[in-house]
Amino acid sequence: DGLPRITSDLHELDNAFNDFEEQYGNPDVRVLALSLKEDILKIPLLGSSPVALTEEDRNKLFTQRLLDVSLRDANGYLVIPFSTELAQLSPLTRNHKVRHVEIDLQGVLLGDPTARAYLRMSGTGSVRNVGNDTDFYLFDSRLGVVNASVNGVKFYDPEVYRNYRFRDRPLVNTMWELIVNQRDEVVNQDLDLQSLTDIRVLIYYSDFTTF
């Protein structure tokens, strides 16, 4: 009796999946590109005058923030919190789930092509589902060690720079942390934080279009 029931349940599930695909199509892949300087730390465009700051002035403000001791954890790592929000995504899409993440370091004195940065997800995730309701999720904290590209150049196979530790978790989350470890991450010893002009966090995700 058990086998026919299981077969029937699988058939119903397959039909439901086919109906879903007919209505919403296949998932699309997109990217949420976040600039540490512009989107996370929000380095100002204007000075106190107010006069527009030069890019050199803004880079100095950026590196000053990176050297701020309040951004160091007990290990001496640079830790910068940020969140991702529904407002950053298209209002015509639903069910935003992470596929993989990449990180790109931008600057001048960044050493050889090998570098690493960490991402941690530890907050509350939310998903706007196809019914236009919001589902909330609380997962255990998870850390991803990301092989970072330098100035957009992927010296090795592109797959090396993709980290899948957060796959299928909600893209929208109240607490992410970008972490740079120069204390005991050997490949980062040749990085000069004062020469950084930006760090780009690229979160690739899937979604469905509902209209």
Side-chain angles (χ1 to χ4, degrees):
D1 292 339
L3 184 57
R5 175 173 292 181
I6 292 173
T7 303
S8 176
D9 289 344
L10 289 175
H11 184 67
E12 290 179 7
L13 184 62
D14 187 56
N15 286 339
F17 180 74
N18 290 334
D19 290 342
F20 182 89
E21 281 196 325
E22 285 183 12
Q23 183 173 359
Y24 300 109
N26 294 320
D28 292 306
V29 178
R30 308 184 201 280
V31 61
L32 177 63
L34 298 174
S35 159
L36 178 59
K37 181 167 68 177
E38 308 295 346
D39 303 311
I40 299 174
L41 295 181
K42 301 183 187 301
I43 300 301
L45 294 169
L46 300 176
S48 55
S49 303
V51 175
L53 296 173
T54 65
E55 197 59 26
E56 182 179 0
D57 289 335
R58 297 186 73 232
N59 286 337
K60 288 180 181 178
L61 291 175
F62 175 65
T63 55
Q64 286 174 12
R65 288 288 288 128
L66 297 185
L67 298 175
D68 188 338
V69 294
S70 68
L71 295 179
R72 301 285 172 165
D73 69 3
N75 297 312
Y77 302 165
L78 175 66
V79 180
I80 303 170
F82 66 97
S83 61
T84 44
E85 303 174 358
L86 276 173
Q88 297 170 295
L89 312 176
S90 169
L92 302 185
T93 57
R94 301 289 187 271
N95 202 47
H96 310 92
K97 301 288 185 67
V98 177
R99 287 175 58 91
H100 69 273
V101 298
E102 297 182 15
I103 293 176
D104 183 61
L105 306 180
Q106 300 184 352
V108 182
L109 302 176
L110 301 182
D112 62 31
T114 305
R116 295 193 186 104
Y118 312 154
L119 273 181
R120 179 184 291 122
M121 178 192 283
S122 57
T124 300
S126 58
V127 175
R128 181 172 56 196
N129 61 39
V130 293
N132 206 30
D133 297 318
T134 302
D135 301 319
F136 295 93
Y137 300 89
L138 185 60
F139 295 103
D140 292 337
S141 176
R142 180 169 290 181
L143 179 72
V145 178
V146 184
N147 295 310
S149 55
V150 177
N151 289 320
V153 177
K154 295 180 177 178
F155 187 79
Y156 307 104
D157 189 303
E159 189 66 25
V160 170
Y161 302 93
R162 299 170 187 160
N163 186 284
Y164 295 89
R165 283 279 289 167
F166 311 106
R167 182 152 194 170
D168 292 329
R169 287 196 171 196
L171 168 64
V172 176
N173 194 281
T174 59
M175 177 58 74
W176 294 82
E177 289 174 309
L178 171 65
I179 303 169
V180 179
N181 169 14
Q182 280 195 292
R183 183 175 180 182
D184 48 16
E185 184 69 76
V186 176
V187 297
N188 289 345
Q189 298 304 305
D190 55 357
L191 292 179
D192 180 0
L193 286 184
Q194 296 189 62
S195 77
L196 275 176
T197 58
D198 203 359
I199 300 177
R200 291 179 61 80
V201 179
L202 305 172
I203 307 177
Y204 291 83
Y205 65 96
S206 62
D207 65 23
F208 291 92
T209 301
T210 58
F211 297 92

